[in-house]
């Protein structure tokens, strides 16, 4: 390849390993030679030859949740484009994870790692690996009190858009908005709130409205259905902001079974814009979150932390936005 492109072996190596230290015209010649010769990198041979193993391990608690699944898809696409391999290790939220058991999940010491940390298990892994290998770690998850603007964290601060969704419902004429909350990385006690719950509460306080008690749910649709049904049965409740779209789907089902018309006498707003949300009946009003590009950004940030010659990525994901569909409307006239 070097002979065909008229460059040195080192230049070919830099192009193959996606180094930015190659002139664009030179890179194009090397890529043309690679294409002509049909070269494909052999990762095993490169590792045996003493090269760095280009692999990343992703730790996550639940690959079935839309946010985690879409983030994983973004990580995998970005890694594949860079010639890296990806392995996934699922942290069972019902297990107790010691520091040793978390570290044992990595195939080798110092393995580049991305943690999708939205719950207790993810936060425990985040603390453990931040202490064990801070330079080889990136986490996706909520900011916490001690970790604002940290170089290893891509924080999903969605409180502002939750407040916007709450103000939207108040603007339709609802006297207050109830909240069906997702579990948080700090537990589900009433005094512990996700950023989504904090945004909801802040918007109600700013409007001088009654702040109803949060209704706490697990992650599954069945858990959400059992948690929200008493709330839906209360005819004084006219608007519910749900912590994600699975919880909104459970609320929509509970409304159907209790004879509540949506949105005629109950408005429902979800969160995350899962693919099914546009196809429920009625279609779900929700908040769009660009999880896939968040995953891409996490991988690129990891590469930058491992190699300072790789440019630090600028945020490329779209800001959260409210997607208004058919499950939201004015409250019923009294």
């Amino acid at each position: 390849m070097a002979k065909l492109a008229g460059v040195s072996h080192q230049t070919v190596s830099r192009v193959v390993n996606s180094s930015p230290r190659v002139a664009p015209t030179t890179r194009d010649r090397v890529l043309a030679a690679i294409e002509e010769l049909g070269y494909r990198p052999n990762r095993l041979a490169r590792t045996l030859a003493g090269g760095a193993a280009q692999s990343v391990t992703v730790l996550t608690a639940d690959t079935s949740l839309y946010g985690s699944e879409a983030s994983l898809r973004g990580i995998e696409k970005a890694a594949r484009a860079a010639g890296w391999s990806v392995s996934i290790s699922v942290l069972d939220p019902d297990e107790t994870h010691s520091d040793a058991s978390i570290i044992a999940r990595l195939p080798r010491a110092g393995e580049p790692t991305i943690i999708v940390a939205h719950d207790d298990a993810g936060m425990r892994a985040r603390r453990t690996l931040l202490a064990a290998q801070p330079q080889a770690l990136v986490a996706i998850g909520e900011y916490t009190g001690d970790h604002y603007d940290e170089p290893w964290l891509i924080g999903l601060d969605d409180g502002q858009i939750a407040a916007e969704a709450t103000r939207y419902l108040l603007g339709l004429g609802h006297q207050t908005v109830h909240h069906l909350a997702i579990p948080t990385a700090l537990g589900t006690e009433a005094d512990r709130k996700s950023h989504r719950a904090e945004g909801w509460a802040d918007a109600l306080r700013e409007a001088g409205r009654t702040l109803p008690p949060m209704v706490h749910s697990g992650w599954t649709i069945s858990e959400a259905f059992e948690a929200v049904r008493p709330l839906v049965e209360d005819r004084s409740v006219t608007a519910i902001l749900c912590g994600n779209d699975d919880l909104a789907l459970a609320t929509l089902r509970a409304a159907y079974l209790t004879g509540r018309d949506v949105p005629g006498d109950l408005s429902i707003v979800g969160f995350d814009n899962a693919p099914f949300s546009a196809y429920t009946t009625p279609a779900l009003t929700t908040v769009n979150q660009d999880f896939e590009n968040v995953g891409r950004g996490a991988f690129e940030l990891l590469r930058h932390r491992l190699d300072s010659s790789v440019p630090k990525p600028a945020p490329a994901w779209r800001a959260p936005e409210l997607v208004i569909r058919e499950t939201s409307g004015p409250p019923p006239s009294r």
Side-chain angles (χ1 to χ4, degrees), residues 7-298:
V7 298
S8 67
H9 295 104
Q10 291 87 346
T11 298
V12 173
S13 178
R14 290 191 187 101
V15 173
V16 169
N17 289 287
S18 302
S19 171
R21 294 178 293 181
V22 181
T25 54
T26 303
R27 184 184 302 277
D28 289 343
R29 292 207 312 274
V30 173
L31 290 175
I34 287 173
E35 183 67 24
E36 182 175 340
L37 295 174
Y39 168 76
R40 295 295 180 268
N42 185 316
R43 292 194 184 101
L44 178 58
R46 288 163 63 184
T47 300
L48 292 175
Q54 291 185 314
S55 62
V56 58
T57 294
V58 182
L59 301 182
T60 181
D62 194 337
T63 57
S64 67
L65 293 172
Y66 172 65
S68 296
E69 182 272 330
S71 297
L72 285 170
R73 185 167 60 247
I75 292 169
E76 195 279 331
K77 286 183 178 179
R80 177 158 37 89
W84 286 48
S85 62
V86 179
S87 62
I88 299 170
S89 183
V90 177
L91 298 166
D92 189 332
D94 296 325
E95 292 181 7
T96 300
H97 299 281
S98 66
D99 290 350
S101 69
I102 290 168
I103 292 173
R105 288 173 176 266
L106 305 184
R108 59 192 175 98
E111 168 77 357
T113 306
I114 298 174
I115 302 173
V116 182
H118 296 305
D119 61 359
D120 283 329
M123 289 294 287
R124 176 59 188 269
R126 186 168 114 171
R127 290 191 296 269
T128 298
L129 295 181
L130 185 60
Q133 52 178 65
Q135 199 62 31
L137 172 71
V138 168
I140 298 171
E142 285 195 346
Y143 294 108
T144 57
D146 297 330
H147 297 300
Y148 284 88
D149 197 28
E150 292 286 356
W152 50 268
L153 175 64
I154 291 185
L156 298 177
D157 187 355
D158 38 25
Q160 182 176 351
I161 192 66
E164 181 180 325
T166 303
R167 288 192 289 267
Y168 159 72
L169 289 166
L170 295 176
L172 291 174
H174 297 276
Q175 291 304 301
T176 191
V177 177
H178 291 72
H179 184 48
L180 177 63
I182 55 174
T184 74
L186 300 173
T188 57
E189 292 84 349
D191 60 340
R192 293 174 172 178
K193 300 180 179 68
S194 68
H195 283 192
R196 299 178 189 192
E198 289 174 352
W200 158 78
D202 288 345
L204 289 178
R205 292 192 194 98
E206 290 166 5
R209 302 300 174 87
T210 301
L211 186 65
M214 273 195 300
V215 176
H216 294 281
S217 170
W219 287 110
T220 69
I221 295 176
S222 60
E223 289 172 319
F225 178 81
E226 294 301 325
V228 79
R229 185 158 184 168
L231 187 65
V232 171
E233 290 173 345
D234 182 349
R235 297 280 168 165
S236 69
V237 174
T238 64
I240 302 175
L241 174 65
C242 299
N244 69 18
D245 289 340
D246 284 349
L247 273 57
L249 185 62
T251 305
L252 194 60
R253 178 64 178 172
Y256 171 78
L257 292 178
T258 54
R260 302 288 307 269
D261 180 67
V262 178
D265 63 4
L266 177 65
S267 287
I268 299 171
V269 175
F271 225 101
D272 293 344
N273 199 25
F276 67 77
S277 63
Y279 300 97
T280 57
T281 302
L284 184 63
T285 295
T286 186
V287 169
N288 184 62
Q289 301 253 78
D290 192 8
F291 288 114
E292 185 168 324
N293 278 324
V294 164
R296 290 178 183 271

